[in-house]
Amino acid sequence: MVNNWAIIGTGVVSRKFVAGLRQMPGLGTVTVAASRRMENAQAFAKALAIPTAVDDYRAAVSRTDVDLVYIATPPSEHEAHALIAIAAGKAVLIEKPFALDGTAARRIAEAARAAGVFCMEAMWTRFLPLMAEVRSLIASGALGELRALQGSFMISNAPDPAASLFDPARGGGALMHRGVYPLSLARLFLGPVENVTAHGRLGSTGVDEDCTLVLGHAGGAISTLTASLRAPGPNDLTIAGTKGRIAIEAPIYRPFRARLTPVTPRRNAGSGGRLEALKEGVAAQRLLQMMPGGLRGMLSRGGRTIRRPYHGNGYGHEAAEVIRCLSAGLTESPLMPLQDSIEIMDVIDAARAAFR
């Protein structure tokens, strides 16, 4: 099977994707780079030793030496570029967020399904080795009944109206570019979202610069997600159930380590007594404050650390999933099905409506 890639969009993420392709065997070769400006395409191709540069997206995806198309243009352009690739019969991998909104996401999915062409959102975090381990632990019942998830992706950026992060026309905003990570993982681990409560703070350019979502999932679990373009945060994620929790360490977008902490549900205890007096006494509380991590640190000692390194820079794992699916004759990935991408965009739409 020949796997020749066309790269649509020549920004920083595309550079990382090409590097990731080359760090894992069997993922194919990049044969053409395309940008709306020829000088950008040529500079990208020269820097990364790609043989062909073009300023025509349709021409790029129609080439006979292209089998797969990776799209990393602004979210506002994803639908148009995906439909061009699908019409050319080429498998397509679309950077997150999948589209500008839920309506556009549906149109992409409908076109791909009608044409029988492979299509997947490039939410690379889902395909990292650590995520497979977390899914396995959850499936094994290690956490019991899932009850809650908390996640954040927050970085302080200087506002720049010229940057796509702060441009509403190009699909900017904290939720679209950062909140989509914990949101996608919440959908992966807790299932479909049934209700959305959202609060956002709009900046001078009109995008949400800070936001928090509280989601109710079909199984009854609740997730709380926070994203920001203007403030730093822990950028980690915790999944909690009746029998324990898994704390996925930062960075949330490229994690490789987590901590599994089992717990035994407490039984209701009566009030008063010597044990309570001892626990609440000065000596006991002073000892807790001297321990690394306090009570939380003491309780976490019964757990274990899980380390699952990613290969190279991590971007190759999503490409490996594309190749795996194509080899198996699949037109959608079971790890990132199109319905998940549509639902995630629907949640984003509902949240953005609440911001205003």
Side-chain angles (χ1 to χ4, degrees):
M1 180 179 177
V2 179
N3 299 312
N4 290 327
W5 292 83
I7 305 298
I8 305 299
T10 53
V12 174
V13 176
S14 289
R15 287 177 179 269
K16 294 177 180 180
F17 179 77
V18 173
L21 277 180
R22 293 171 174 173
Q23 290 163 348
M24 292 178 66
L27 300 184
T29 303
V30 179
T31 55
V32 58
S35 175
R36 60 193 176 94
R37 294 191 178 126
M38 178 58 83
E39 58 268 30
N40 290 347
Q42 290 173 332
F44 185 88
K46 181 179 180 181
L48 299 177
I50 298 169
T52 305
V54 300
D55 59 359
D56 185 324
Y57 296 130
R58 194 177 302 275
V61 304
S62 299
R63 293 172 60 95
T64 57
D65 61 349
V66 169
D67 309 293
L68 311 101
V69 178
Y70 170 74
I71 296 172
T73 48
S76 57
E77 306 301 314
H78 286 182
E79 179 187 2
H81 298 156
L83 294 182
I84 290 172
I86 291 167
K90 306 299 171 67
V92 62
L93 178 62
I94 307 169
E95 255 309 322
K96 52 78 199 150
F98 188 62
L100 187 62
D101 53 35
T103 300
R106 283 180 173 80
R107 286 194 291 257
I108 295 171
E110 289 167 0
R113 288 165 175 164
V117 170
F118 180 86
C119 181
M120 188 182 86
E121 181 180 2
M123 175 48 73
W124 61 314
T125 306
R126 284 201 181 200
F127 308 106
L128 298 180
L130 181 65
M131 295 299 105
E133 181 71 15
V134 172
R135 292 196 309 271
S136 178
L137 286 168
I138 291 173
S140 74
L143 299 187
E145 178 191 0
L146 298 185
R147 306 288 295 191
L149 179 149
Q150 291 179 307
S152 69
F153 190 177
M154 307 168 66
I155 297 175
S156 179
N157 290 84
D160 180 3
S164 60
L165 283 178
F166 292 91
D167 185 354
R170 286 184 282 172
L175 180 54
M176 284 282 278
H177 287 268
R178 293 187 179 150
V180 69
Y181 282 93
L183 172 55
S184 187
L185 294 178
R187 174 61 181 84
L188 174 66
F189 295 132
L190 301 187
V193 175
E194 290 192 332
N195 54 75
V196 180
T197 301
H199 299 278
R201 179 178 180 178
L202 302 183
S204 59
T205 65
V207 303
D208 55 294
E209 294 184 344
D210 312 280
C211 65
T212 295
L213 277 61
V214 179
L215 309 178
H217 295 262
I222 297 171
S223 59
T224 306
L225 318 173
T226 306
S228 180
L229 299 179
R230 300 295 311 279
N235 299 338
D236 55 10
L237 185 135
T238 299
I239 311 157
T242 53
K243 294 182 179 179
R245 71 174 184 270
I246 295 175
I248 299 174
E249 296 183 11
I252 191 173
Y253 53 86
R254 190 159 42 188
F256 60 91
R257 189 165 52 215
R259 180 80 180 173
L260 170 64
T261 305
V263 300
T264 300
R266 295 183 180 183
R267 296 185 179 277
N268 293 331
S271 60
R274 294 183 61 186
L275 180 59
E276 181 179 343
L278 179 64
K279 184 178 68 173
E280 296 300 319
V282 172
Q285 292 301 313
R286 182 176 297 165
L287 179 62
L288 283 175
Q289 293 176 68
M290 292 174 62
M291 295 178 63
L295 180 61
R296 185 175 183 178
M298 183 181 72
L299 293 175
S300 66
R301 290 181 182 180
R304 65 183 175 93
T305 296
I306 303 158
R307 187 175 183 273
R308 296 292 182 271
Y310 48 80
H311 195 91
N313 68 1
Y315 277 79
H317 292 285
E318 62 186 5
E321 174 66 5
V322 176
I323 304 304
R324 186 193 71 80
C325 290
L326 290 174
S327 299
L330 302 177
T331 55
E332 295 188 32
S333 164
L335 293 180
M336 189 74 242
L338 292 174
Q339 185 57 36
D340 276 21
S341 297
I342 292 170
E343 290 180 19
I344 289 164
M345 291 311 308
D346 285 343
V347 171
I348 290 175
D349 287 347
R352 287 188 296 191
F355 298 161
R356 289 164 172 78

